[in-house]
Amino acid sequence: QVQLVESGGGSVQAGGSLRLSCVASGYSFSMGWLRQAPGKEREGVAAMDDDGDTTYAASVKGRFTISKDKVKNTLYLQMNDLKPEDTAMYFCAAKRSPDRVRYRLLAETYHYWGQGTQVTVSS
């Protein structure tokens, strides 16, 4: 069982930055950040597998950076140049088994979830 605890959400103006953190207990093969806006489906934002390979959604590529501190077992999401459309509840998630690259951003392929942290970007 893996437990995930997110922090770092908040309210910022467009163009601002936030860094999300996710402390994990236990080992997982890959981890990711996903988000869900009101009335929309949960979507993958960024993912990192066990050897450090990363995948980003097209909408955030070049603005968001996923990273992991293996010593602290903490996953980060640095979000720069935030836009109002980035407003959502952001979730940290993890997988208990290896998966294909093409599944990295699919919410239904994740087994463990954090409680979420709200990010609100105003124009």
Side-chain angles (χ1 to χ4, degrees), residues 3 19 21 32 54 58 61 72 75 95 99 104 111 122:
Q3 292 185 328
R19 189 177 81 155
S21 300
T54 58
K61 205 167 187 179
K72 296 181 179 179
L75 186 74
K95 298 185 182 185
D99 209 347
R104 283 182 185 166
H111 305 103
S122 58

Side-chain angles (χ1 to χ4, degrees), residues 57-120:
S59 59
V60 306
K61 205 167 187 179
R63 300 188 297 121
F64 291 11
T65 303
I66 188 171
S67 62
K68 186 176 182 180
D69 184 326
K70 289 189 174 183
V71 174
K72 296 181 179 179
N73 208 18
T74 300
L75 186 74
Y76 300 100
L77 185 68
Q78 177 66 44
M79 304 185 294
N80 298 328
D81 189 23
L82 283 160
K83 302 177 181 181
E85 52 264 41
D86 294 319
T87 295
M89 182 72 78
Y90 282 70
F91 298 90
C92 174
K95 298 185 182 185
R96 61 172 176 247
S97 56
D99 209 347
R100 297 184 178 186
V101 173
R102 63 185 176 187
Y103 298 145
R104 283 182 185 166
L105 298 180
L106 293 181
E108 56 264 37
T109 63
Y110 284 86
H111 305 103
Y112 307 107
W113 292 84
Q115 80 286 354
T117 185
Q118 179 68 37
V119 171
T120 302

Side-chain angles (χ1 to χ4, degrees), residues 7-28:
S7 62
S11 297
V12 295
Q13 290 191 328
S17 298
L18 283 173
R19 189 177 81 155
L20 306 183
S21 300
C22 172
V23 179
S25 66
Y27 175 79
S28 61

